[in-house]
Amino acid sequence: MFLATLCCLLWTVHFCSGQFPRACTSSRNILEKECCPVWSGDGSPCGQFSGRGFCQDIFLSEAPQGPQFPFTGVDDRESWPSVFYNRTCQCIGNFMGFNCAQCRFGFRGPSCMERRLLVRRNILALSVAEKNRFLAYLTLAKYTTSTDYVIPIGTHGQMANGSDPMFRDISVYDLFVWMHYYVARDTLLGGTQVWREIDFAHEAPGFLPWHRLFLLLWEQEIQKLTGDQNFTIPYWDWRDAQGCDICRDEYMGGRHPVNPNLLSPASIFSSWQVVCSQLEEYNSRQALCDASPEGPLQRNPGNHDQTRTPRLPSSADVEFCLNLTQYESGPMDKSANFSFRNTLEGFASPVTGIADASQSSMHNALHIYMNGTMSQVPGSANDPIFLLHHAFVDSIFEQWLRRHRPPQEVYPAANAPIGHNRESYMVPFIPLYRNGDFFISSRDLGYDYSYLQEPDADFFQDYIKPYLEQAGMIWPWLLGAAFLGAILTAVLRRLASLCCHHKKKQVAEERQPLLMEKEDYHNILYQSQL
C-alpha cells in the first residue's frame, strides 16, 4: 500500500518552492542586491501588473540587540538579509511568496480571498491509509529536487561578494534540514576561530515563532509538491510517555536488530542519508554545509544521558509551563527564569521555572532522549520525528496564547539576542517574515490542533463565519435598510391605530343597549313615583 501511494505521487509530482530563490542567485542579483523575481501569471516582477506586489527596499529594524553577540559585520546572518539583498518583493493583501505567487497562510483561491482552517492531528489517530500517505510524502520530499530554491555553499565573502556565486541544488526535505542547520550554526571568524554562542532560532524569544513559521512553510511545500491542499503535519503527544511509541517500523522506524544506533532495515527511513550534521568539520574548514550525504540516520531512544534528562515530560510539566504568565524575562536567553519560552524550550525547570544548565527538559528532553541525529541541534531536522515533536511543542505554544491572550507588544521589541527582536527578520527565510508576525493564534494563520478545537469549530468556520464576513462587507446597507424599515413600520402602525380607534368609536355609538339593566329600571320607577 505504501509503495503504491509513493509511485502515484512520483507520477503526479508538482515541483515546489522553499528558501534561497534560484531566480535570485545570479552574479547580477547578488551584486545588485535585488531579489524581485517575475510572477509567471503576468510576466512582471512580484506580479506588479496584477496588483499582487511590488519591488521595494528593505527597511531593517534599528532596535538595539542584546549583549550576547559582541561582533558586527562578521556574519552573513546579521541584519538579515541585507548582506545578500536590500530589495525584495513586498506583497499586497493576502498574497505571499518570494514573487507574490502564493496565498498568505490561512487563505486560498485564485485571488487568495477564501479563508481556510486545516487541522493537525495526532499521528496515532490517523488511519492506516492516512499514515502511509504521510510517510510517502516524506519520502517524496526527500528524493525530489527543489526547482525554485538552492542553497549557498559559501559565505558572501567566499563568493567574492557576489562575483562568484556558490549555490547548489537540494531536495525539498533536505532544504529544510539545511535551513535549520544554517540558522543555528556557529559564526566563522576566520582561521580556526568560531563563535559558538549564537543562534537565530533557539535559546531566545524567537524560538517558538521561528519554528512555527518553519512548520508552516514545510507544510505548504508538501501541499504544493503533492497537490494535496488539505495536508497537515501530524503531531506526537509525548506527555507522560514511557518510551518512544512511534519508534516502530510502521511509523517512524524501529530499532536495528544488531546495531541499536541505527533504524530497522524494515523502516523506509533506514536508507535515508543525513546532511548538515558535521558541525565541527565545517568549523575547521571555515565552510558551510553543502548538503553532501553524511551517513545513515541514527537513533537510539532511551539510551541517553539520564543524569541530564531523567524522564520525558509529564502532563504536570506542561501545565506548569502554561501557567507561567511571562513569555520572556531577564536576559531573554537560556538563563531566563520564570519565562514560558525558556521553560518550554527546556533550559528552565518545569517544576520551579528556574534556569538549570545541568538539566534538559521539555522540548530539549525529547531531542536528548532520541540519542542520535536528533540530539545535535543543527542537523536534528534530518530525523522526521523532528516534525512531529515540534508540531506538539507548537500546540503548547498555541495553548499558552489562548490562555493568556497576550498583545503582540508582549513579544520583546528590543535588547533580545541578535535576530530575536520583534521586528527582526527571521533567518534564512526569503520572502521575509518578522518574529512578531507569528506571535499570534494559529487560527489566524489557518490551522488548529484536533485536541484544542472548540465544539462545532468546523461548523462555525465553514458555514457561519463566511456569512458573517459577507454581512460585515454590506453592513452599511443593512443598517440603512433596517432604519428605513423601522420608520415605515412605525408609520403603518400609527395609521392602523388611528383607523382602529375611529372604527371602535362608531361601533360604540351604534351598539347602545335597547333594554335597560334591572337596576336602571328601578331608578326610573323610583323617580316617577316621586
Side-chain angles (χ1 to χ4, degrees):
M1 180 64 183
F2 168 76
L3 290 176
T5 303
L6 180 59
C7 288
C8 290
L9 289 171
L10 288 170
W11 178 258
T12 60
V13 61
H14 298 283
F15 291 110
C16 66
S17 59
Q19 250 43 50
F20 243 93
R22 186 186 297 272
C24 298
T25 54
S26 69
S27 177
R28 177 181 176 182
N29 287 120
I30 304 298
L31 290 171
E32 294 182 357
K33 292 193 171 187
E34 183 173 288
C35 182
C36 295
V38 167
W39 177 50
S40 60
D42 65 6
S44 68
C46 312
Q48 183 174 349
F49 294 163
S50 301
R52 287 177 167 257
F54 51 91
C55 193
Q56 178 178 288
D57 292 343
I58 296 170
F59 296 99
L60 299 173
S61 170
E62 296 181 355
Q65 308 279 359
Q68 293 85 353
F69 188 67
F71 306 99
T72 301
V74 298
D75 195 308
D76 290 349
R77 299 167 295 178
E78 297 176 52
S79 300
W80 180 261
S82 60
V83 169
F84 291 98
Y85 308 110
N86 55 30
R87 284 175 63 80
T88 60
C89 285
Q90 176 67 46
C91 301
I92 299 171
N94 294 331
F95 298 112
M96 188 183 80
F98 66 85
N99 60 352
C100 302
Q102 301 166 226
C103 293
R104 191 158 56 92
F105 300 120
F107 291 87
R108 64 182 174 186
S111 299
C112 298
M113 294 299 292
E114 302 172 31
R115 284 189 174 274
R116 68 171 181 172
L117 183 71
L118 301 178
V119 179
R120 294 177 180 172
R121 299 163 57 201
N122 191 325
I123 189 171
L124 296 177
L126 300 182
S127 68
V128 173
E130 289 169 333
K131 181 260 298 178
N132 285 341
R133 188 181 305 119
F134 170 61
L135 299 181
Y137 288 177
L138 288 170
T139 305
L140 181 66
K142 180 69 174 179
Y143 295 108
T144 301
T145 299
S146 173
T147 57
D148 286 337
Y149 277 86
V150 292
I151 59 167
I153 56 175
T155 65
H156 189 257
Q158 290 168 346
M159 296 185 199
N161 299 324
S163 298
D164 183 21
M166 300 167 63
F167 294 93
R168 178 175 177 173
D169 288 340
I170 194 167
S171 76
V172 175
Y173 189 96
D174 289 346
L175 170 66
F176 284 85
V177 176
W178 179 89
M179 284 194 290
H180 194 264
Y181 144 79
Y182 188 79
V183 77
R185 69 174 179 84
D186 299 333
T187 292
L188 307 177
L189 296 174
T192 59
Q193 294 183 316
V194 296
W195 182 263
R196 301 179 189 278
E197 299 302 315
I198 186 171
D199 195 312
F200 289 81
H202 304 84
E203 305 177 11
F207 167 68
L208 293 167
W210 190 94
H211 285 84
R212 170 163 283 194
L213 172 60
F214 181 86
L215 293 181
L216 277 167
L217 290 172
W218 195 91
E219 204 166 60
Q220 187 181 70
E221 295 309 311
I222 296 300
Q223 291 166 2
K224 291 189 292 181
L225 177 65
T226 63
D228 184 352
Q229 295 302 308
N230 295 317
F231 167 77
T232 56
I233 299 170
Y235 62 86
W236 173 33
D237 185 345
W238 35 248
R239 289 174 296 184
D240 305 311
Q242 299 303 306
C244 182
D245 52 5
I246 58 172
C247 294
R248 293 178 276 161
D249 286 342
E250 62 268 32
Y251 283 95
M252 310 311 291
R255 197 185 303 272
H256 194 284
V258 178
N259 187 341
N261 292 313
L262 299 178
L263 300 187
S264 163
S267 167
I268 61 169
F269 302 113
S270 63
S271 61
W272 279 29
Q273 288 281 307
V274 301
V275 299
C276 301
S277 65
Q278 299 177 358
L279 192 63
E280 292 305 320
E281 180 183 337
Y282 313 141
N283 286 346
S284 66
R285 296 191 287 110
Q286 294 282 300
L288 299 184
C289 163
D290 63 3
S292 296
E294 296 172 347
L297 189 64
Q298 296 191 26
R299 193 192 301 152
N300 192 349
N303 291 323
H304 60 291
D305 181 357
Q306 299 198 10
T307 61
R308 186 171 189 83
T309 302
R311 61 178 176 81
L312 292 176
S314 66
S315 297
D317 295 336
V318 173
E319 188 60 27
F320 178 88
C321 285
L322 292 172
N323 284 329
L324 291 169
T325 58
Q326 297 183 89
Y327 178 74
E328 197 56 88
S329 65
M332 298 183 278
D333 56 24
K334 60 184 177 182
S335 65
N337 295 324
F338 308 114
S339 155
F340 166 72
R341 186 277 313 163
N342 203 37
T343 306
L344 177 55
E345 191 169 357
F347 293 108
S349 167
V351 177
T352 66
I354 302 296
D356 186 350
S358 68
Q359 297 288 296
S360 292
S361 57
M362 298 304 291
H363 154 267
N364 291 346
L366 269 293
H367 282 275
I368 299 296
Y369 175 84
M370 289 300 162
N371 193 34
T373 304
M374 270 273 282
S375 62
Q376 301 298 322
V377 173
S380 58
N382 277 291
D383 191 330
I385 287 180
F386 177 98
L387 297 168
L388 310 182
H389 169 43
H390 272 275
F392 191 65
V393 170
D394 183 72
S395 77
I396 298 173
F397 176 36
E398 181 59 23
Q399 287 187 74
W400 187 86
L401 289 171
R402 295 185 190 183
R403 181 174 298 189
H404 299 282
R405 300 186 181 278
Q408 196 175 57
E409 288 72 23
V410 166
Y411 189 99
N415 300 314
I418 186 170
H420 287 266
N421 284 340
R422 187 196 309 154
E423 299 300 317
S424 296
Y425 290 118
M426 288 189 268
V427 177
F429 301 118
I430 299 173
L432 306 177
Y433 306 92
R434 299 182 190 273
N435 289 304
D437 295 341
F438 294 85
F439 193 72
I440 59 175
S441 174
S442 69
R443 288 176 293 198
D444 294 329
L445 294 167
Y447 73 100
D448 202 350
Y449 289 93
S450 56
Y451 81 104
L452 299 182
Q453 280 194 292
E454 298 173 356
D456 297 325
D458 287 338
F459 176 80
F460 177 79
Q461 184 71 24
D462 295 337
Y463 299 99
I464 304 300
K465 191 172 182 179
Y467 290 105
L468 292 178
E469 290 175 348
Q470 291 179 15
M473 296 174 64
I474 62 172
W475 71 266
W477 298 98
L478 294 175
L479 187 61
F483 181 70
L484 291 175
I487 294 175
L488 182 60
T489 301
V491 171
L492 292 174
R493 183 174 293 175
R494 179 62 178 165
L495 291 174
S497 176
L498 291 173
C499 290
C500 289
H501 179 72
H502 179 69
K503 186 175 182 180
K504 285 180 180 179
K505 185 176 180 181
Q506 290 179 338
V507 170
E509 294 174 350
E510 292 171 358
R511 294 187 181 183
Q512 291 295 327
L514 299 178
L515 297 177
M516 293 181 288
E517 296 292 337
K518 182 178 181 180
E519 184 179 351
D520 297 333
Y521 176 77
H522 284 297
N523 288 338
I524 295 174
L525 181 62
Y526 175 72
Q527 293 172 5
S528 64
Q529 289 175 347
L530 291 176

